[in-house]
Amino acid sequence: MTAFYEPLGDGRFAPTEHTAGPWSPGAQHFGPPSALLVRSLEEVPAARESRLARVTVEILGPAPLTELTVRSRLERPGRSVELLSAELSAGEKVVARASAWRLVTSDSSEVVAGGAEPLPPPERAEPAGWPEHWLGGYLDAMEWRAVRGSMIDPGPATVWVRQRVALVGGEKPSPLQRLFAVADSGNGVSNYLDPRRWWFINSELTVHIQREPAGEWIGLDARTVVGPDGIGTATSRLHDPGGQVATGAQALLVRPR
């Protein structure tokens, strides 16, 4: 195993087979593309010490396993609050856009509050599997450990996940890149519908970040709620071994296959 993407220069990347999603070998799981967009957002120069506080990835279409181009820019400069954007394209087609608020950092360590209790450590979790009809690719490129529930059994679930491969060949992924490589899995981890009979596809991913995760393991504590009109929401608390680091949500299209 090597990486999800090989760099081609000038913002261009070649996806590897490790990006392939569980539904089709020709379309990527959106964890790696989300992380690639965050990588580009992190490259936007900052005049002051600051950090991404919220990132929304709008999924405009499937990301094929063909050459991708990523571009990012500063949309709205500011002394304390800035708006950034990034775009992911396959040829002439834009497949995803990301927007992010970047905030100037300060010392709030004395008033830290409200985070979920730390999860049991990854070392105490059991290896986790997934439904046999799901395809490998991304799933095989990540290591999965179950804390509560599982991807095989329906309902809410809590798992630890870490990358077996780099995001970009020759690079060590940043903490936020690791976070976003996992965050788009909330709907899959917490599904309770038979994926052979139902679609539960997310049209976006929004993550609010309280702090950057430490270490390789990302904890995903996820649940899915479905309404009566074919619309659902998957919500996730994202952890590192020290506790909660972020909160994620995905809008879901739910309909019979």
Side-chain angles (χ1 to χ4, degrees):
M1 289 190 176
T2 54
F4 286 120
Y5 301 100
E6 294 299 333
L8 302 175
D10 194 29
R12 297 177 300 114
F13 299 88
T16 70
E17 70 275 13
H18 304 310
T19 64
W23 311 114
S24 167
Q28 298 182 48
H29 184 285
F30 240 88
S34 298
L36 196 63
L37 284 162
V38 166
R39 177 184 179 275
S40 187
L41 291 168
E42 290 181 315
E43 292 181 336
V44 177
R48 298 169 183 82
E49 188 69 26
S50 57
R51 186 174 56 72
L52 299 180
R54 190 274 289 159
V55 177
T56 295
V57 177
E58 308 287 5
I59 302 172
L60 306 180
L65 269 73
T66 57
E67 182 179 312
L68 299 174
T69 302
V70 189
R71 297 283 185 263
S72 59
R73 60 186 177 273
L74 177 62
E75 292 282 356
R76 176 218 182 256
R79 291 181 58 84
S80 300
V81 179
E82 295 180 313
L83 181 63
L84 316 181
S85 67
E87 195 170 81
L88 182 71
S89 301
E92 298 298 316
K93 183 178 180 180
V94 178
V95 297
R97 291 192 178 100
S99 63
W101 287 106
R102 185 169 66 186
L103 309 184
V104 168
T105 57
S106 62
D107 185 2
S108 58
S109 57
E110 292 185 4
V111 293
V112 170
E117 290 295 316
L119 300 176
E123 295 76 16
R124 288 170 46 192
E126 296 293 326
W130 51 83
E132 61 181 13
H133 54 278
W134 286 11
L135 303 177
Y138 168 84
L139 295 176
D140 285 332
M142 310 292 278
E143 181 177 357
W144 304 83
R145 289 181 171 268
V147 177
R148 292 184 290 268
S150 75
M151 291 185 287
I152 297 175
D153 299 322
T158 306
V159 296
W160 284 107
V161 194
R162 69 173 172 182
Q163 293 175 228
R164 300 180 190 270
V165 303
L167 177 65
V168 174
E171 294 183 8
K172 181 179 179 180
S174 74
L176 289 187
Q177 291 165 29
R178 290 186 183 280
L179 183 71
F180 276 81
V182 173
D184 192 62
S185 295
N187 59 327
V189 166
S190 65
N191 82 85
Y192 66 88
L193 299 170
D194 185 343
R196 292 167 295 187
R197 297 181 53 216
W198 292 90
W199 293 110
F200 41 95
I201 303 169
N202 62 303
S203 60
E204 56 86 41
L205 167 69
T206 298
V207 179
H208 288 87
I209 306 146
Q210 289 80 59
R211 64 176 175 85
E212 292 189 345
E216 296 184 340
W217 287 99
I218 301 296
L220 185 63
D221 183 7
R223 63 173 295 155
T224 292
V225 177
V226 175
D229 303 315
I231 297 172
T233 309
T235 56
S236 305
R237 290 175 173 173
L238 296 149
H239 292 247
D240 69 4
Q244 185 176 354
V245 301
T247 303
Q250 300 160 289
L252 304 180
L253 170 70
V254 181
R255 67 181 184 188
R257 289 175 68 95

